[in-house]
Amino acid sequence: MKMLFALASFALTAPATAGTVAVPFAPPVDHALVYRIEQHRPIAGKVSAFTATRDLRFERTGEGYSVTATLRAIDTDAATAGAVPYRAALEPLIGVAMRFRLNAAGKIVAVDDLDAVWAKVQAGVDAMLAAGNSDRQRAAKNVQALFASLSPEGRLALLAGELQPLFLFAASDVEDGAGRGVRTVAGSPLVRPVPVEGMLTVAKQDGNGLVLEEKLAGEGVQVAIRYHLSRTTGLVENQERSLIAGGQPLVESRSLTPAK
């Protein structure tokens, strides 16, 4: 159900220095936002596009925040082999409003009414299983099997997975100058997840913006990521990622903008 580009970064421990840049966590409250994810990857010899658009709204709740996220639309120009699994994974989420709770450090800790949310998602899968299209039914059975294997913690992680990159640097420090070492795991439909490591550096500081660059490598995999953070909210407002595995390129972009 993820956008099929797994990459969770973990900075190696390093002490704060005079070149440390503090990143806050103060998301804009009571404003409608649009979060768009677009991915380009090869399917059957052709580079195909996959997009997902979500509506977001943050609210202040006690010592932390909440964000209500609703998947508004998905689209792809991929052939059946790539389109059917993608749609089966995400269509059950369309129109389902999920209210995630975040602590003061920008970590998603819960989702309100998880059982009710999960029941709506399951109903979407059941509707696909009842459809007459055999390709959709097979894909829906795979999604159903994944759902059945998840614990409550796993359900939260799956539902929140696409939002996590927004908060990657919230309430933390990033190091200017030489940067900071990073060790993580990268994977995609092109390869199985493999360990990668490299450096995270500050590329530019411009007014209320902060641009970070991350270059990572592992066995047969190269990853380059460029983040544009708001130094007012601490959110990643734009992110560009590219992965090359086995000579096959995969590119993903994420943007967070005010709703029109």
Side-chain angles (χ1 to χ4, degrees):
M1 186 168 298
K2 297 180 181 180
M3 281 290 291
L4 304 176
F5 190 147
L7 184 63
S9 296
F10 301 93
L12 302 181
T13 303
T17 69
T20 295
V21 180
V23 180
F25 179 55
V29 296
D30 299 322
H31 293 285
L33 303 170
V34 176
Y35 185 42
R36 177 180 169 85
I37 303 172
E38 182 170 347
Q39 186 184 97
H40 296 264
R41 58 185 174 89
I43 298 289
K46 174 191 172 185
V47 175
S48 299
F50 300 81
T51 62
T53 304
R54 290 173 172 82
D55 296 325
L56 303 185
R57 182 179 290 270
F58 288 91
E59 296 177 32
R60 184 74 177 170
T61 54
E63 296 183 357
Y65 295 86
S66 69
V67 58
T68 300
T70 308
L71 181 61
R72 183 203 309 164
I74 63 171
D75 195 17
T76 180
D77 61 3
T80 300
V84 170
Y86 177 76
R87 293 189 181 280
L90 291 181
E91 281 184 357
L93 298 177
I94 294 177
V96 180
M98 302 180 217
R99 191 170 188 242
F100 296 95
R101 300 280 179 168
L102 300 102
N103 63 19
K107 179 181 178 182
I108 296 176
V109 295
V111 60
D112 288 356
D113 301 320
L114 176 58
D115 289 343
V117 168
W118 200 250
K120 292 178 181 178
V121 175
Q122 291 275 16
V125 177
D126 291 342
M128 285 191 292
L129 287 170
N133 186 302
S134 59
D135 289 332
R136 283 170 58 86
Q137 287 176 330
R138 282 193 292 271
K141 286 180 180 179
N142 291 335
V143 174
Q144 187 181 57
L146 170 63
F147 284 0
S149 70
L150 295 173
S151 65
E153 293 78 13
R155 293 177 183 178
L156 174 60
L158 185 146
L159 295 174
E162 289 296 4
L163 300 183
Q164 299 285 8
L166 288 170
F167 315 114
L168 191 57
F169 302 99
S172 68
D173 296 323
V174 294
E175 293 176 17
D176 204 350
R180 175 179 297 179
V182 175
R183 183 179 299 142
T184 184
V185 175
S188 80
L190 308 180
V191 295
R192 297 177 63 85
V194 298
V196 293
E197 58 182 287
M199 296 294 296
L200 172 71
T201 57
V202 176
K204 184 179 180 181
Q205 297 188 54
D206 182 13
N208 289 326
L210 183 64
V211 178
L212 307 178
E213 291 184 346
E214 200 169 56
K215 294 185 178 180
L216 310 168
E219 185 177 354
V221 176
Q222 292 181 322
V223 186
I225 312 172
R226 187 175 178 89
Y227 308 93
H228 186 281
L229 282 68
S230 166
R231 296 184 66 178
T232 301
T233 67
L235 301 177
V236 177
E237 296 181 331
N238 286 282
Q239 179 176 313
E240 301 288 337
R241 302 195 285 182
S242 64
L243 178 149
I244 299 176
Q248 298 270 13
L250 183 151
V251 177
E252 180 185 88
S253 65
R254 295 169 181 255
S255 65
L256 181 68
T257 58
K260 296 180 180 179

